[in-house]
């Protein structure tokens, strides 16, 4: 007899249940429990007190999604002197929807690290959007796999050459400017997950290399493209400006003198992005940002938001552009009705799912943008 049922308004992932041994709602008036059953939709756990003197059960149900929990007494005895429990009954967890996003981010990060370790290639088309996606999760106060993300950054750091560049090992066809720009931009985002200054020092060296390379309109000239995202001056300008902005912010935080060459390069890259010469990519990348909670983004006067030219994108055909367009619009206070990117079919057995992994990242990027900032 006894026990209670807790019904949630929405499915929950429950990590911990703490039940006082004299919880009246579970064991009844004047009783003290010594064994307890915790049951949800998908898991059931029975626990005994580890020490007879313990005042509460601590149960980890491992429920990733349940609409209810039942707390059922298994063994109980008269409590003797009846006194209120020294602590309340309480649960620790998050909405199941959010836990699913956290779990997916963790799995994607781990697979990305495996790809790096296998091929000694940081997979620019995977690592960069992963860094953006992890930042979105962090800003929404979700759990992020910080150690795995730091390991990804550490691996990228080891791939830097002495001149600051990031040549693709055994793949000269990938160029040297493009991978260097993407690697530096990725590290400038991932550095928040690292415990030291190595990432930003690596970005500083890469910036010096990139500044010395041939440029057009103040933007390093890409020597390799990876459609549909990794191509064109607007994309290069966005990455270049962002990594230089990160270096500027780091210098200001440390009270260090700003590098004049970096400041000049930053001004040129931003001037290009803000210039009147428009195109499909320019409209997207000039407005791209991942803001922190509380920052209100707005369209710059006279600069159109990316609209009709990207309105017919397909989640099957164009997951990257579909997710980027939605992210930009949401950053500027608009909530577009957009197709949800579907997860690709798994890769054949024995192969790491490179293509499906990229689709999973952009799907998660899209879903995180649909989550409100915590208030």
């Amino acid at each position: 007899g006894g026990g209670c049922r807790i019904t949630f308004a929405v499915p929950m992932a429950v990590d911990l249940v703490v039940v006082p041994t004299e919880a009246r709602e579970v064991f009844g008036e004047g009783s003290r429990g010594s064994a307890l059953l915790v049951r949800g939709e998908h898991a059931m756990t029975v626990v005994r007190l580890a020490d007879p003197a313990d005042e509460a059960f601590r149960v980890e149900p491992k429920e990733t999604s349940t609409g209810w929990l039942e707390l059922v007494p298994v063994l109980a005895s008269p409590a003797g002197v009846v006194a209120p429990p020294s602590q309340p009954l309480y649960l620790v967890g998050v909405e199941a929807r959010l836990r699913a996003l956290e779990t997916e981010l963790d799995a994607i990060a781990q697979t990305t690290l495996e790809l790096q370790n296998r091929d000694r290639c940081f997979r620019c088309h995977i690592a960069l959007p992963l860094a953006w996606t992890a930042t979105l999760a962090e800003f929404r106060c979700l759990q992020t796999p910080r150690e795995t993300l730091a390991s990804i950054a550490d691996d990228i750091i080891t791939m830097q050459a002495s001149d600051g560049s990031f040549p693709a090992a055994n793949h000269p066809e990938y160029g040297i400017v493009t991978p260097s720009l993407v690697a530096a931009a990725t590290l400038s985002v991932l550095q928040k997950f690292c415990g030291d200054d190595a990432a930003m020092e690596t970005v500083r060296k890469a910036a010096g290399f990139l500044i010395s390379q041939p440029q057009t309109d103040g933007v390093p000239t890409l020597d390799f493209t990876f459609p549909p995202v990794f191509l064109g001056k607007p994309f290069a300008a966005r990455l270049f400006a962002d990594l230089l902005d990160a270096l500027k912010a780091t210098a200001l935080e440390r009270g260090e003198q700003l590098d004049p060459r970096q400041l000049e390069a930053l001004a040129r890259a931003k001037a290009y992005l803000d210039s009147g010469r428009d195109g499909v990519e320019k409209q997207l990348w000039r407005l791209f940002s991942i803001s922190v909670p509380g920052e209100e983004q707005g369209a710059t006067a006279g600069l159109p938001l990316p609209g009709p030219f990207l309105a017919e994108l397909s989640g099957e055909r164009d997951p990257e552009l579909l997710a980027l367009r939605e992210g930009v619009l949401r950053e500027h206070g608009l909530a577009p009705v957009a197709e949800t990117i579907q997860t690709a079919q798994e890769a054949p057995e024995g192969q790491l799912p490179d293509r499906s992994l990229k689709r999973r990242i952009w799907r998660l990027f899209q879903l995180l943008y649909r989550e409100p900032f915590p208030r």
Side-chain angles (χ1 to χ4, degrees):
C4 69
R5 181 184 176 99
I6 302 168
T7 302
F8 305 119
V10 295
M12 297 292 291
V14 184
D15 301 316
L16 176 67
V17 180
V18 176
V19 181
T21 56
E22 297 182 15
R24 295 169 180 152
E25 61 267 66
V26 179
F27 301 106
E29 188 73 32
S31 294
R32 186 176 191 275
S34 56
L36 173 71
L37 181 149
V38 178
R39 178 168 53 211
E41 289 185 37
H42 308 101
M44 181 173 66
T45 306
V46 178
V47 293
R48 295 178 65 99
L49 288 181
D51 184 330
D54 286 347
E55 295 184 350
F57 298 89
R58 295 178 61 86
V59 187
E60 298 180 4
K62 304 188 188 310
E63 276 283 4
T64 58
S65 178
T66 182
W68 50 268
L69 278 184
E70 291 180 344
L71 309 179
V72 183
V74 176
L75 292 174
S77 58
V81 178
V82 179
S86 58
Q87 59 179 303
L89 186 158
Y90 68 91
L91 283 65
V92 177
V94 298
E95 291 184 29
R97 179 188 83 258
L98 300 179
R99 177 54 48 79
L101 298 177
E102 294 172 342
T103 301
E104 176 68 347
L105 177 60
D106 182 74
I108 288 171
Q110 187 59 48
T111 303
T112 300
L113 185 59
E114 291 171 7
L115 283 169
Q116 285 186 176
N117 291 336
R118 186 190 73 174
D119 299 334
R120 296 305 300 156
C121 171
F122 76 91
R123 287 296 203 284
C124 58
H125 61 288
I126 290 175
L128 180 61
L130 172 59
W132 290 335
T133 301
T135 300
L136 289 175
E138 188 92 344
F139 286 169
R140 283 153 177 78
C141 297
L142 301 185
Q143 291 184 14
T144 53
R146 299 185 69 88
E147 290 187 7
T148 304
L149 294 166
S151 295
I152 292 171
D154 289 342
D155 269 5
I156 296 174
I157 290 170
T158 66
M159 299 177 196
Q160 188 174 43
S162 58
D163 64 354
S165 67
F166 284 84
N170 303 317
H171 288 283
E173 69 274 16
Y174 293 166
I176 191 168
V177 175
T178 300
S180 299
L181 177 61
V182 178
T186 302
L187 285 176
S188 72
V189 181
L190 287 178
Q191 57 88 21
K192 69 175 71 67
F193 301 101
C194 303
D196 53 38
D197 298 331
M200 291 313 295
E201 177 60 22
T202 303
V203 174
R204 185 189 65 79
K205 293 178 182 177
F209 169 79
L210 292 166
I211 290 171
S212 69
Q213 298 305 299
Q215 300 187 11
T216 306
D217 294 329
V219 180
T221 303
L222 298 179
D223 51 5
F224 177 76
T225 60
F226 198 101
V229 173
F230 289 43
L231 75 169
K233 279 192 297 183
F235 169 74
R238 178 77 278 155
L239 296 196
F240 197 39
D242 285 354
L243 72 88
L244 292 170
D245 259 333
L247 288 170
K248 178 181 175 181
T250 299
L252 291 172
E253 288 173 3
R254 298 174 181 173
E256 298 174 353
Q257 188 172 1
L258 301 176
D259 187 321
R261 294 177 67 220
Q262 293 176 8
L263 290 176
E264 182 182 353
L266 175 60
R268 289 199 304 268
K270 287 189 172 181
Y272 165 73
L273 283 172
D274 292 338
S275 64
R277 298 186 300 279
D278 264 325
V280 170
E281 296 88 359
K282 177 75 77 67
Q283 286 183 325
L284 183 69
W285 290 114
R286 69 157 42 118
L287 295 172
F288 173 82
S289 66
I290 297 176
S291 65
V292 298
E295 286 189 353
E296 294 295 333
Q297 299 289 326
T300 304
L303 298 182
L305 286 167
F309 67 91
L310 290 178
E312 302 302 323
L313 293 172
S314 159
E316 177 64 31
R317 186 182 62 251
D318 315 293
E320 304 96 327
L321 294 177
L322 186 75
L324 283 168
R325 174 184 181 270
E326 183 170 344
V328 167
L329 292 177
R330 288 184 183 275
E331 283 282 348
H332 290 267
L334 302 177
V337 177
E339 173 189 351
T340 299
I341 298 166
Q342 299 302 310
T343 303
Q345 293 182 348
E346 295 298 325
E349 185 176 354
Q351 296 182 20
L352 285 171
D354 199 344
R355 180 172 297 179
S356 64
L357 181 64
K358 183 172 65 170
R359 182 180 293 276
R360 286 170 61 193
I361 293 172
W362 287 110
R363 171 184 167 85
L364 184 57
F365 179 95
Q366 183 187 48
L367 294 178
L368 285 168
Y369 256 119
R370 296 177 182 181
E371 289 296 327
F373 284 130
R375 296 297 182 185

